[in-house]
């Protein structure tokens, strides 16, 4: 079965950086659109970034543009989220998500598979 396992979360001071990674198994990775979402306490899960199966196109929510970079390694079945200039409002559980039909947009309902999440905490 499809498994997505996130890693790389932690505690960082404002202005710092973290790199999240998502390892995928049980799927033909090169046909999947991949995304990152996050959920802060008491809030809805929201879109952060997504990437086309080829890695040639990416999409970000406005609040992270210029600070976060999504990338993928199709040889290793991994997708990463490099997060720079972190802010306290970036604090959330970050989830990796996969769509088998290649969709890589911001609609949560379009993603079929989800990881268990990794906590990111940014202190002020």
């Amino acid at each position: 079965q499809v498994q997505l396992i996130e890693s790389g979360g932690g505690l960082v001071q404002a202005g710092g950086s973290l790199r999240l990674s998502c390892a995928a198994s049980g799927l033909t990775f090169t046909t999947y659109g991949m995304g990152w979402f996050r959920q802060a306490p008491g809030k809805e899960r929201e879109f952060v970034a997504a990437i086309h199966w080829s890695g040639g196109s990416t999409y970000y929510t406005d609040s992270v543009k210029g600070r976060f970079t999504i990338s993928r390694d199709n040889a290793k079945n991994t997708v990463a989220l490099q997060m720079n200039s972190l802010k306290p409002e970036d604090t959330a559980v970050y989830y990796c998500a996969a769509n088998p039909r290649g969709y890589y947009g911001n609609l949560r309902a379009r993603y079929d598979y989800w990881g268990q999440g990794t906590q990111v905490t940014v202190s002020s």
Side-chain angles (χ1 to χ4, degrees):
Q1 70 277 22
V2 175
Q3 279 194 314
L4 303 174
I5 301 175
E6 302 98 334
S7 61
L11 173 64
V12 64
Q13 288 189 330
S17 298
L18 281 175
R19 184 177 178 85
L20 305 183
S21 184
C22 172
S25 60
L27 73 169
T28 305
F29 190 66
T30 51
T31 65
Y32 278 67
M34 300 297 296
W36 285 97
F37 287 73
R38 65 187 180 187
Q39 188 167 17
K43 294 188 175 181
E44 294 283 322
R45 191 172 299 188
E46 66 173 3
F47 170 76
V48 176
I51 189 165
H52 187 259
W53 66 265
S54 69
S57 182
T58 57
Y59 179 36
Y60 299 92
T61 192
D62 285 347
S63 63
V64 308
K65 284 180 182 176
R67 300 189 299 123
F68 291 11
T69 303
I70 188 171
S71 61
R72 65 191 293 161
D73 185 335
N74 285 345
K76 296 182 179 179
N77 284 14
T78 58
V79 60
L81 186 68
Q82 177 67 43
M83 305 186 295
N84 299 329
S85 302
L86 283 161
K87 304 175 181 179
E89 51 263 43
D90 294 318
T91 294
V93 177
Y94 283 71
Y95 297 90
C96 175
N99 175 282
R101 294 163 295 281
Y103 175 79
Y104 67 106
N106 63 348
L107 297 179
R108 188 175 65 189
R110 296 285 296 272
Y111 290 87
D112 291 7
Y113 303 102
W114 294 82
Q116 83 289 349
T118 186
Q119 177 70 48
V120 171
T121 303
V122 184
S123 63
S124 57

